[in-house]
Amino acid sequence: MRHRIQHTPETEIQSRLKRLQPLLEKASLDGAFFHYKIDYFYLSGTMQDAFLYVRPAEEPILFVRRELERARRESPLKTIVPIKTFKDIKPFIGRMKRVGLQLDVIPYTMVLKFKEILGDVTLVDSSPLTQQLRKYKSPFEISVLEHAAAISNKVYDEIPNFLKEGLREIELGGMLENYAKSLGHEGLLRVRSLNYEAYTWHILSGRTGSIVSQSDSPMGGLGLSPAFPVGASMKKMKRGEPILVDFGISYHGYHVDQTRMYAIGCMPDLFVKACEVCRDIQYKVLDKALQGMRTADLFAYSKQLAEDAGFGENYLGYGHHKVNFLAHGIGLELAEFPFIAKTHDYPLEPGMTLAIEPKMVFPKIGSCGIENTVLLEHGSFRILTNRDEQITVL
């Protein structure tokens, strides 16, 4: 699989900006600053140390603190300006009354610096604008996601060549990460969060699959220490236990997520049945999504399917550890809009991509499930991580 540096086409950047500018006008914003690098990468094509200023009807300005020449090579924007401090932007901006800032992720000290420069202005959260745009993937973005999915499928195909009894969870993860990086995996998953961090993969075997941790997921794993209490551990994998591999791939900034199940020798009948139920839930929910069922109703429907199959107590966690989502949007961030979740209520539409992950957790025994990255199309869906979904028994 060949790897090459890929820049976002100018037509792609211009299309995104043209969709953003009417949203700024509708929000009665004189302009908006995008300092969060995921969003200014989406709008400019570079992730050098910078921030982007976008106005409703004028050329955007990319203010670069470091590294100017790389930013100019990577971004097709016409106006790219070097600055040393925030005060250097003042000659480039006019008087404003309402200004957008990404208030969900901007440090308070940076807000104070902007207020010092901008004066008496009303600050408005502009993050929902880019989150709305990024829900829908363009043909260019889909092509990058397809490449990421191809890497993901190759990684899962390689697992039987590494997995063996007595191998530690963390060792398998390291082997797979090394292989994935040889294919172009960037080794980093981005999440819009203050304190979330994890490997790009979970390897959970037997009992560790039922351990809950800091992450908002049905299971978290033991991890290596209280300082890193999530994901793969030093536990040695054994025959006859469920082994869950959840390996996210990032390629040119875009993510795909996939989970498959493995076992050495045999898979216990309980987990064979639970995996069948998870696959059934996945496809029935996707079919209902195509019929127009809203996301909150899809989540409730999935819970009812699990109840009807006799796995209600284990679906998406157990006890008070249950999570309230079945699927998360995926793209430049691991979790972005849309969500199939208890508190999200809207229809899914063509052009959206999401990672759907019905999973079961059995206290002190283990966990199982499936996860796929799915593209919604007109009247159909397409699973990008289209590797065999059956349990692999070695």
Side-chain angles (χ1 to χ4, degrees):
M1 183 173 289
R2 295 171 58 191
H3 177 78
R4 62 184 178 86
I5 298 296
Q6 184 173 14
H7 293 160
T8 308
E10 181 176 1
T11 52
E12 182 77 12
I13 295 297
Q14 293 301 328
S15 173
R16 296 169 184 179
L17 289 166
K18 286 179 181 177
R19 288 187 293 130
L20 172 64
Q21 287 173 319
L23 298 180
L24 296 176
E25 191 168 10
K26 185 177 180 180
S28 300
L29 293 177
D30 298 310
F33 291 93
F34 297 92
H35 80 284
Y36 181 57
K37 62 183 180 180
I38 307 302
D39 285 328
Y40 72 69
F41 172 74
Y42 178 75
L43 295 168
S44 74
T46 185
M47 208 178 279
Q48 298 303 315
D49 186 8
F51 59 92
L52 182 66
Y53 176 46
V54 183
R55 296 161 287 185
E58 299 178 59
E59 280 288 320
I61 303 174
L62 183 67
F63 296 102
V64 180
R65 289 176 289 203
R66 179 186 177 95
E67 154 61 36
L68 180 65
E69 291 309 313
R70 285 198 65 175
R72 285 176 170 163
R73 287 198 301 270
E74 294 166 354
S75 174
L77 296 183
K78 301 295 187 294
T79 309
I80 300 179
V81 177
I83 61 169
K84 293 184 178 179
T85 71
F86 279 107
K87 293 180 181 179
D88 294 339
I89 74 173
K90 200 158 187 177
F92 297 91
I93 59 176
R95 296 186 62 183
M96 295 180 286
K97 295 181 179 179
R98 283 172 57 87
V99 179
L101 285 181
Q102 296 184 289
L103 297 178
D104 63 330
V105 285
I106 190 170
Y108 182 62
T109 53
M110 191 177 288
V111 173
L112 294 180
K113 289 179 181 179
F114 272 108
K115 285 183 68 71
E116 181 183 347
I117 296 165
L118 300 175
D120 185 20
V121 298
T122 299
L123 299 180
V124 178
D125 186 10
S126 58
S127 286
L129 304 183
T130 48
Q131 289 173 316
Q132 171 70 17
L133 290 181
R134 285 172 41 203
K135 281 198 304 186
Y136 304 95
K137 304 301 188 288
S138 69
F140 168 76
E141 291 178 289
I142 292 168
S143 70
V144 178
L145 287 164
E146 288 171 336
H147 195 116
I151 294 174
S152 180
N153 289 340
K154 283 181 175 290
V155 170
Y156 279 91
D157 286 341
E158 197 70 15
I159 290 175
N161 295 326
F162 294 128
L163 180 58
K164 62 182 180 180
E165 187 172 14
L167 189 68
R168 300 181 190 275
E169 293 173 344
I170 195 73
E171 290 177 307
L172 177 60
M175 292 173 179
L176 295 177
E177 182 168 24
N178 179 66
Y179 178 65
K181 285 183 174 179
S182 76
L183 301 175
H185 171 46
E186 291 171 339
L188 177 67
L189 299 185
R190 294 190 168 100
V191 179
R192 204 181 195 98
S193 170
L194 174 62
N195 285 327
Y196 181 83
E197 58 185 13
Y199 298 120
T200 63
W201 38 267
H202 284 325
I203 312 290
L204 307 177
S205 62
R207 186 167 179 166
T208 64
S210 69
I211 296 175
V212 181
S213 190
Q214 61 179 17
S215 59
D216 184 20
S217 58
M219 70 292 286
L222 180 61
L224 294 176
S225 76
F228 203 97
V230 64
S233 71
M234 296 295 286
K235 177 187 173 297
K236 294 181 179 180
M237 292 174 283
K238 299 182 295 188
R239 297 177 66 84
E241 64 180 4
I243 300 171
L244 181 147
V245 180
D246 183 342
F247 201 113
I249 292 291
S250 60
Y251 177 76
H252 286 292
Y254 284 82
H255 305 74
V256 298
D257 220 354
Q258 181 171 185
T259 297
R260 295 293 188 268
M261 295 300 304
Y262 295 81
I264 301 169
C266 66
M267 179 69 85
D269 290 342
L270 172 65
F271 291 97
V272 172
K273 176 61 177 174
C275 285
E276 291 174 356
V277 172
C278 288
R279 286 195 297 272
D280 186 56
I281 290 172
Q282 172 188 248
Y283 286 108
K284 286 184 176 178
V285 166
L286 290 172
D287 285 339
K288 289 292 186 182
L290 294 180
Q291 296 171 27
M293 183 179 283
R294 299 172 72 86
T295 49
D297 294 330
L298 288 170
F299 178 74
Y301 173 62
S302 78
K303 289 180 63 178
Q304 188 60 55
L305 290 173
E307 288 278 356
D308 294 345
F311 287 93
E313 292 184 4
N314 311 100
Y315 180 60
L316 299 179
Y318 63 90
H320 67 279
H321 300 301
K322 287 180 176 290
V323 297
N324 289 314
F325 73 93
L326 168 63
H328 52 89
I330 192 165
L332 284 172
E333 290 174 295
L334 181 64
E336 57 185 43
F337 288 94
F339 292 86
I340 297 179
K342 182 178 180 180
T343 57
H344 288 250
D345 186 24
Y346 39 74
L348 296 175
E349 300 175 273
M352 293 181 175
T353 51
L354 67 159
I356 183 168
E357 49 177 332
K359 290 175 178 172
M360 306 285 187
V361 184
F362 301 87
K364 299 182 180 180
I365 302 175
S367 61
C368 68
I370 191 170
E371 182 175 18
N372 277 307
T373 298
V374 180
L375 168 66
L376 293 170
E377 300 179 312
H378 290 280
S380 64
F381 61 82
R382 179 156 58 96
I383 294 179
L384 301 180
T385 49
N386 56 353
R387 187 193 174 275
D388 185 1
E389 297 177 347
Q390 299 300 313
I391 298 167
T392 301
V393 179
L394 306 177

